[in-house]
Amino acid sequence: MQPAARGDPDERLGDLGAPFGMVHTLGHRLVLRSSFTAPRRAGPGRAGPFDEDPAARSRTPVVLVHGAGSCSAMWYPNTPALSAERPVYALDTPGDPGRSVQREPIHQPERAAQWLDETLDGLGLDRVHLVGTSYGGWLALNQAHRAPERLASVTLLDPGGLEKVGLRFFVWIFAGFFATFAPKALRPRLAAWLDQPVLVMPELRTMIRTGVRAYRIRRPAPLPLSEAELTTIRTPLYLVLGKRSLLLHPERQRERVPRLIPGARAEIVTGTGHGPQIDHAEDVNRRMLAFMASVSTD
């Protein structure tokens, strides 16, 4: 990860304001062996959600891991609903344009699992519901395979790690980025055509353009887990797929994942592609919370 020479991308991302919603930075950056990791936390310390349900403070927390090229701000459509039920921590992954600082390569599966386990340990979290989308979904899936001891459950939102990333996905990513420069009047039509809701969400559009301008991500696409690796997973797992996803083949994975991972649940959300938690935030928030409640004793 190489920051660009102009300005401070951390500050420009932090100044977006609206994307962070109820999520705020927890004190100083944590010192970990492989990186500084900057978490953001929703709920405790902020007026609002826990006033309505005091029991939420003591429930098993949710940890959110964003996709590549993004940061924890992308979760702002989800954190209000999630933090009304449970404490929520949103991580900035090293190697992406957030507030964390990468010191060593951690994209290898073993190192990635070590980093995430150290992060949870540094936060004092012994048991969490881990939620990941896209590249963050690969991180969550990898964690369930390699270091599941702290995981109460794993929720994967159109994740990496199940199929090799194909050319069609990269074409979609680049087309979506260039579309952010389109005239405002054209963006709704392009958003529908490309399945890119960020084009009509000013906060996310600004975040993505800022990140691309300020950072160069130097990380290979992760390899998918093998079927043998998937069969080792025993953590309760919930897979949410966008029907029009270009990252993977939804129908194939809806059948495959529950067959390989005992007890896993898999559902397809219609009317969306790679961002079900953005396109249908209210519905996906409800589904995630219901799943967590079904596998938790708190």
Side-chain angles (χ1 to χ4, degrees):
M1 175 182 66
Q2 298 294 329
R6 299 189 306 273
D8 184 346
D10 275 359
E11 293 307 316
R12 295 204 299 275
L13 287 169
D15 287 343
L16 292 179
F20 291 98
M22 296 164 53
V23 184
H24 64 94
T25 302
L26 274 181
H28 300 289
R29 294 173 179 175
L30 298 175
V31 180
L32 304 180
R33 286 192 289 275
S34 58
S35 64
F36 287 140
T37 298
R40 305 179 187 278
R41 186 179 181 187
R46 300 283 291 211
F50 291 100
D51 295 337
E52 299 175 11
D53 185 3
R57 186 183 298 272
S58 62
R59 294 186 182 127
T60 302
V62 178
V63 174
L64 305 172
V65 189
H66 61 78
S70 186
C71 69
S72 56
M74 67 154 288
W75 296 106
Y76 84 95
N78 314 109
T79 52
L82 297 178
S83 65
E85 299 290 334
R86 299 176 179 277
V88 176
Y89 297 78
L91 305 180
D92 282 347
T93 60
D96 288 298
R99 293 180 181 271
S100 293
V101 178
Q102 181 174 343
R103 289 178 164 175
E104 301 176 28
I106 59 170
H107 59 266
Q108 303 94 334
E110 299 83 0
R111 299 297 305 279
Q114 177 189 353
W115 159 75
L116 187 49
D117 190 66
E118 289 179 12
T119 299
L120 299 178
D121 182 62
L123 289 168
L125 301 178
D126 296 325
R127 199 76 175 157
V128 303
H129 295 287
L130 187 61
V131 179
T133 183
S134 195
Y135 173 70
W138 174 79
L139 288 170
L141 188 63
N142 181 64
Q143 202 72 11
H145 167 54
R146 296 184 181 275
E149 294 79 16
R150 299 178 190 270
L151 306 184
S153 75
V154 168
T155 297
L156 308 175
L157 303 171
D158 215 63
L162 294 176
E163 298 182 20
K164 184 178 180 180
V165 181
L167 178 62
R168 64 177 190 164
F169 181 74
F170 291 112
V171 171
W172 174 77
I173 288 290
F174 283 108
F177 171 67
F178 288 118
T180 64
F181 296 93
K184 186 175 181 180
L186 292 179
R187 287 177 208 152
R189 187 178 302 176
L190 288 171
W193 182 58
L194 292 170
D195 268 326
Q196 279 281 19
V198 299
L199 298 180
V200 290
M201 301 177 77
E203 300 89 353
L204 290 180
R205 177 173 167 269
T206 301
M207 181 188 73
I208 288 174
R209 289 182 63 177
T210 302
V212 170
R213 287 198 307 267
Y215 275 79
R216 298 182 186 91
I217 299 175
R218 301 182 183 277
R219 179 178 61 216
L223 295 176
L225 276 70
S226 68
E227 294 203 348
E229 290 173 326
L230 290 174
T231 59
T232 68
I233 295 174
R234 295 295 180 268
T235 302
L237 186 143
Y238 180 39
L239 175 64
V240 180
L241 303 162
K243 185 174 179 62
R244 299 194 296 265
S245 173
L246 294 177
L247 178 63
L248 39 69
H249 296 81
E251 293 290 350
R252 179 188 305 170
Q253 297 305 329
R254 181 169 63 174
E255 180 280 327
R256 176 175 176 259
V257 170
R259 174 168 50 82
L260 296 173
I261 302 176
R265 308 178 194 181
E267 296 176 351
I268 293 176
V269 178
T270 60
T272 186
H274 189 49
Q277 76 282 359
I278 298 173
D279 281 324
H280 300 289
E282 184 176 352
D283 177 39
V284 173
N285 291 339
R286 177 185 55 78
R287 294 181 190 222
M288 289 192 290
L289 287 168
F291 168 68
M292 293 171 196
S294 73
V295 298
S296 291
T297 57
D298 55 13

